[in-house]
Structure formats: structure tokens, C-alpha cells
Amino acid sequence: MTGNAMPTGPVAVTRGLGRAMLGFTAAQGTIIVLAMFVLQHFVWTDVAGADAVRASAWLAFIVQGFTFAIARLVAKQQVMAGWGLGVLLRFATVAVWGFLGSDALGLAAGPALLSLVLFYFVSTLVEPLFLN
């Protein structure tokens, strides 16, 4: 056996997950920051709207990273289960954000919800590029 042998088993899974997470995190972070910039400078330009967009961007970034890790870990065995769990988590965060989160933080509900859904949508578009 040579020193260039590729690792197999849990080591390979962890290394592949790490690379995929790094790439996805960079891609989704870039997309979310660009969308946040556009929303704050052209759509909701008031302070309350900008604060709501910024809070939603952070929430989307964290939840998308978590759901991507779940989807990546179960993608080889149960693709639909991983996808379904990710959809369920995103839907649940939108519901909680709409009913409790934006009110508890004193954020404008419209910008908070619409920007969260937009951030989920645009970052979900790049997710398949990193799942394989």
C-alpha cells in the first residue's frame, strides 16, 4: 500500500463533509450578503426594515448550514428523508419567525418574513452543487 491511498469509511465521510460544508457555507454566505445588500439598499431602506433583513439573514445562514449538514450526511442512504427534514426545518423556522421571533425582537414582520424566505430560496438553489 502506498502513502497516497485514499481514506475510506468514517474518515472519508468526515473529510468530504468538511469540504462540502466549507464550499456551501462560502457560497451561501456570499449569496445571502448580496441579497441582503440589495434588500437593505433598494427595497427596505428604513432602519426597521434593514434590521429585520439583517436578523433574517443571520437566521437563514445558521439554519441553512444545519440543514445542509443533515442533507449531506443522509444523502447517500436516504435522499428523500434528508431533503424532507431540511424542508420541515425551514418551514418550521419561517412559522416560528413569523409568530414569535420577529415580535419578540421588535422587528418589522413583513421584511423579516419575506427576506427570510428569499434567503432560503437563493441559498437552496446552490445546495445541490455541494451535495454530491
Side-chain angles (χ1 to χ4, degrees), residues 91-102 113:
F91 180 76
T93 57
V94 169
V96 169
W97 194 237
F99 289 118
L100 302 174
S102 59
L113 285 171

Side-chain angles (χ1 to χ4, degrees), residues 22-78:
L22 183 63
F24 177 71
T25 301
Q28 78 145 345
T30 302
I31 289 171
I32 287 175
V33 166
L34 289 173
M36 182 176 65
F37 177 82
V38 169
L39 291 175
Q40 288 180 330
H41 287 81
F42 300 108
V43 181
W44 292 294
T45 57
D46 60 313
V47 174
D51 288 345
V53 169
R54 194 169 25 263
S56 293
W58 278 110
L59 179 63
F61 184 79
I62 293 166
V63 171
Q64 282 291 90
F66 185 68
T67 57
F68 177 79
I70 291 171
R72 176 75 177 169
L73 286 172
V74 300
K76 300 296 182 198
Q77 297 86 9
Q78 300 289 329

